[in-house]
Amino acid sequence: MHSHKLITALALAAGLVAPVALAASPAAATAGSCRVELYDIDALNVGERDGHDELRFLVGGNLFPNNGWFTMDTGDDGDPADFGHPSTVVTSTGTASFNLREVTPPWVNSGDSLGSVIAHGSTCAPLGVGAVGYEEDFIEGMNGTFYSYKVKLKLTGL
């Protein structure tokens, strides 16, 4: 009958050890959503004959910068501050659009869409809270002349 007692003792020991091991090493919390913000924009080729484009971003129904535009020439590098720090939140199953728009000064309006970079919530899903991921894409097309912009978005797990 020693084997019966041994099996019982082992089962009890396993039952006590397993919960302790699980509690000692919890799974990392994954992000249910992400803060998405403009990280960088590079003007590879602008679409105007005068050599520069006046740009805004439409994000979540808001225009950035909120009271103007940012002018870019071919070869220019734009930063989040140049556009008033456009940002939004995306769930792990959703998407968020950063729509690049060209305006015609001196009027500050929504302008014409040049294209969008989409942040995918699936990029958030594997991120831990506070962890960072990036999405990068090109916005290209013809609007009188060829234009091309490289846009990079930063996603931070919430």
Side-chain angles (χ1 to χ4, degrees):
M1 288 286 139
H2 288 292
S3 62
H4 180 65
K5 287 182 180 178
L6 181 61
I7 292 171
T8 303
L10 288 174
L12 284 172
L16 294 175
V17 172
V20 172
L22 289 174
S25 59
T30 56
S33 59
C34 283
R35 181 179 62 248
V36 183
E37 51 199 329
L38 177 65
Y39 184 76
D40 187 52
I41 177 171
D42 298 317
L44 306 176
N45 193 51
V46 299
E48 291 285 335
R49 290 186 179 98
D50 64 2
H52 56 267
D53 280 345
E54 295 81 9
L55 302 170
R56 301 181 86 180
F57 274 99
L58 179 62
V59 180
N62 299 306
L63 288 163
F64 297 89
N66 62 1
N67 287 321
W69 60 86
F70 182 68
T71 301
M72 294 190 81
D73 296 340
T74 297
D76 282 353
D77 176 49
D79 296 315
D82 299 326
F83 289 90
H85 298 283
S87 65
T88 191
V89 174
V90 63
T91 65
S92 61
T93 58
T95 59
S97 175
F98 280 65
N99 182 250
L100 186 62
R101 318 219 25 116
E102 183 180 11
V103 299
T104 305
W107 301 281
V108 179
N109 58 22
S110 61
D112 297 319
S113 174
L114 299 178
S116 297
V117 173
I118 306 296
H120 297 90
S122 58
T123 302
C124 293
L127 292 178
V129 175
V132 173
Y134 297 92
E135 292 211 25
E136 184 176 87
D137 205 351
F138 292 89
I139 295 175
E140 299 178 321
M142 294 289 292
N143 189 14
T145 58
F146 176 73
Y147 60 86
S148 178
Y149 291 91
K150 183 171 74 170
V151 179
K152 188 172 187 178
L153 304 176
K154 178 180 174 183
L155 291 80
T156 306
L158 298 176

